[in-house]
Amino acid sequence: MLLGVLSRSLVARTTIAAALLVSVLIAVPMAILIRADVRATRAELAIRAELATKIVLDDAANALWDLDPEEAVAALAPLRSIDAFAEAAILGVHGERFAGYRKPGTGPLPDDAATSATATLERTDRNGVQRSLGTLLVRLDATPTNAAIRHDVLLLSALGAGVLLLVVIGVVWATRGVTVPIAGMTRAMADLAAGDVSVEVPGRHRDDEIGRMAAALRTFRQNAIDLRAAKEHAEQAVASKAKFMAAASHDLRQPAQSLLMLSAILRRHATTPETADSARKIEQVVMTLKQLLDDLLEVSRLDAGGVAATMGTHDIGDLLQALDAQFGPVARAKGLSFIVSPLRGAVVTDRVLLMRLLGNLIDNAIRYTPNGSVQLAGLETGSRIVVEVRDSGIGIPEDRLDAIWEEFHQIGNPERNRDNGIGLGLSIVKRLAGVLDHPVKVRSVPGRGSVFSVAVPLAAEPARPAEIETVRIDEPSASATASGGVTVLVIDDDGFVLTGLSQFLTGAGHRVHGVSAVAQGLRGLQDGSIRPDIVVADYHLSATENGIAFIGQVRGLLGLRIPAILISGRLDKDVIRRATEQGIDVLAKPVMPEGLSLLIGRLTRQEQAALPILPSK
C-alpha cells in the first residue's frame, strides 16, 4: 500500500526521503550520546560503591573476626554519609548474613534499582596465615541515576524529533508550490469520478494550463451535481412508492381477509342459491384484489432494490419438474397441452426468483393461449442453458415487442378483463431478470404464438439434490379431505379479522379461542383455560410483538412443538426464513377460508402420532 502511495505522490516521496535522511543523521549521534552518558553515569556509581567498601573494610573484618554483631553494625554506620547509599551487609563464608545496616528511611530495593559492590573480608591469624572470613556487600540506590538517564534520553529524543519535524515542514513547504496544485486537481478528478460532487476544484484563479483545466473541471462538476440531484429525486420517488405500496398492501389485505372469511360464512349459511352465488363472487373479487396487491408490491420492491438474489447451484431439471407440477394442472384444466421437455444440467441461479420469473412467463402463456399448447423447453448453448416458454397463443405484433415489458401493458385485452391479469407479469419478469442477471428475450408471430427465452449460466460443479419446497395453500386441493374438529388458538390484533377467522373456524367444526393480544393468550395458557392443538397467528401483533415470538412462547409454556400457521399481509424473506426454521407454515393474507381449514386439519393429523417434547422452562 505504501509503495502505491509513493508511486503516485511526489510530495510523499520527497517528504519521506528527507525524513529518513534526517532521521539517520539525528538518530545515530543521539544514540551514541545516550549510550556514552548511560555508561559513564553507571560506571561512576559503580566506582562509588567500590570506594564505599574500602572505607569500612577493615572495621568490618575485625568485627566479623571477633564475632561481634554490634561492632559490625557500628563499623557499617559511616557508609550513611555516602551519596546514594542504601544498605550494606556482612556475610559469612557460606553466604549467611552476620550483620547488616540500612540507611534510615530507606526500604528494600529491587535488584534493577540498585548498584552493588562486594569485597572479601580477610584476617591474618596467629600463625601468619591469611584467612577469608566472609564478604562485605554494599548497595547504592540507582533510582536517581536511572531517572537522570531517562531525562537525558527524553531530552535528546525530543530535540531530535523537533529537528526532524522542522525539516519535514520545510520540505513540504518547499515542494508545495509545485506539487500541491497538481495533486489537488488529481484528487478532485478522482472524487468526481467516484461520485463526490461536493469536492472543491482548486486553481480557480489561475490563468495558466492548470487554471483552464480547473474551469473545465468545474463545468463537469456542475453537470454531475445536476445529474445526482435528478437521480436522488428519482430514488426518493421510488422509495416513497415502495413504502406506500407496502403499507397500502398490508392495510388493504386486512379488510380483504375479513371479507373472505365473512363471505365464506355467508355462503355456508346461505338460504338461497342466489345468496351463495353472491358470496362466491365476493370471494373471486377479493382474490383478484389480492393478485393486484401482490403484483404491485412485487414491482415496488424490485424497483426499490428490496429483492436480492441468493445464488447457488441447482439442477435445471428439478426446477422444470416443479413448474410442471404447479402449472400443468392449470393448463390442462383450460384444455391446453402442457409439455415439459426433459433436461438436466447444473445452473447457477436463485431457485426461488427463477421459479417466480418462469412462473410469470408460463402463467402469461396460459392466459393468452385460447387453444393449442404451452411448452417448457431448454437448450444448452456454450456456457448457458436457454430455457424457453413456447405457446401457440395470440402472438405479439412486432411493433409492440418492446412495450410489453411496461407496467399495465396488455395485448388483446382492450376491455381490461381481470381474468387476463392486470399487465404486471412481464414487467416483473424484466425486473427479476435484472436482479438475476439472466437475459430475457422474446420472439413472436401474431396469430401463431410467442417464445420467451431466459439464459441461465451453467455451473462448474453438479447441483446438490433440491430441497422439498413447501407449497402455499391458498385454496383447497381436490384430494384434500375435510378436517376434524380441533382446538385452535387464533391471535390477530385486527378485530374484524379475528372475528371473521373465529366465526369461520367455529362453523367448520373447530373449537376456537380468539385473542387480540399476546398477554391475553399467555394468561389463558397459564391458567389452563386454553389448551390448543394448533396456533394460527398474525405476524404483526403490536409495535414490539410478532406472531413468531408468540408461537415460541406458546410452545414453551405447553412443552410441546404444536403445529402453527403464520399469516400476514406483509411478509419478507427474513420472516419466511425465521418461520421455516421453527417449523411454522406461512400463508399470505388474504387466505382462502377452506384452504386454511384444510391446512389446520392436515397439520394436526400429522402431529397426532407423536408430538416432540420441548425442554420445560
Side-chain angles (χ1 to χ4, degrees), residues 481-488 505 508-511 533 597-598 600-602 604-605 608:
T481 60
S483 59
V486 297
T487 302
V488 184
L505 293 176
H510 301 296
R511 298 174 296 278
D533 298 311
S597 183
L598 289 169
I600 289 174
R602 178 170 64 81
T604 51
R605 284 195 300 273
Q608 282 175 355

Side-chain angles (χ1 to χ4, degrees), residues 244-255 293 297 493 538 540 568-570 589:
F244 168 78
M245 289 304 304
S249 173
H250 177 266
D251 293 341
L252 290 173
R253 288 171 193 270
Q254 294 293 93
L293 291 173
L297 184 59
D493 61 333
D538 183 32
H540 296 279
S568 179
R570 190 190 303 176
K589 288 182 179 179

Side-chain angles (χ1 to χ4, degrees), residues 167-370:
V167 171
V168 171
I169 292 174
V171 171
V172 172
W173 178 82
T175 58
R176 184 179 181 84
V178 177
T179 59
V180 168
I182 298 176
M185 293 295 295
T186 303
R187 287 193 301 271
M189 288 186 288
D191 291 340
L192 285 174
D196 183 8
V197 296
S198 63
V199 63
E200 289 293 331
V201 180
R204 294 179 296 172
H205 305 296
R206 299 177 65 124
D207 296 328
D208 55 8
E209 288 80 1
I210 293 179
R212 290 189 289 274
M213 185 186 298
L217 192 57
R218 285 198 301 275
T219 302
F220 177 79
R221 174 179 174 271
Q222 187 58 48
N223 292 337
I225 291 174
D226 296 340
L227 180 61
R228 182 169 186 172
K231 178 175 177 290
E232 289 176 352
H233 181 73
E235 289 176 346
Q236 290 173 0
V238 170
S240 297
K241 183 181 73 171
K243 184 177 180 181
F244 168 78
M245 289 304 304
S249 173
H250 177 266
D251 293 341
L252 290 173
R253 288 171 193 270
Q254 294 293 93
Q257 182 67 73
S258 302
L259 190 58
L260 269 181
M261 291 299 170
L262 295 175
S263 61
I265 296 171
L266 177 62
R267 176 164 47 82
R268 179 185 296 155
H269 298 290
T271 56
T272 64
E274 291 79 7
T275 304
D277 184 60
S278 297
R280 279 192 293 270
K281 289 180 179 178
I282 292 173
E283 292 176 354
Q284 292 173 359
V285 171
V286 174
M287 292 311 296
T288 301
L289 174 63
K290 174 183 180 297
Q291 183 62 44
L292 173 62
L293 291 173
D294 288 342
D295 289 346
L296 287 175
L297 184 59
E298 184 75 1
V299 170
S300 297
R301 290 177 63 224
L302 288 166
D303 285 343
V307 178
T310 304
M311 308 303 283
T313 303
H314 304 279
D315 192 296
I316 192 67
D318 293 337
L319 273 70
L320 299 186
Q321 290 174 9
L323 291 168
D324 185 15
Q326 183 177 356
F327 291 97
V330 179
R332 296 180 188 102
K334 189 178 178 181
L336 302 176
S337 173
F338 191 77
I339 304 170
V340 178
S341 301
L343 179 67
R344 310 302 298 186
V347 294
V348 179
T349 186
D350 183 309
R351 178 183 176 86
V352 174
L353 297 185
L354 181 58
M355 290 275 290
R356 194 181 305 169
L357 186 154
L358 292 173
N360 279 347
L361 291 177
I362 296 171
D363 182 71
N364 210 55
I366 294 174
R367 288 180 187 275
Y368 290 96
T369 303

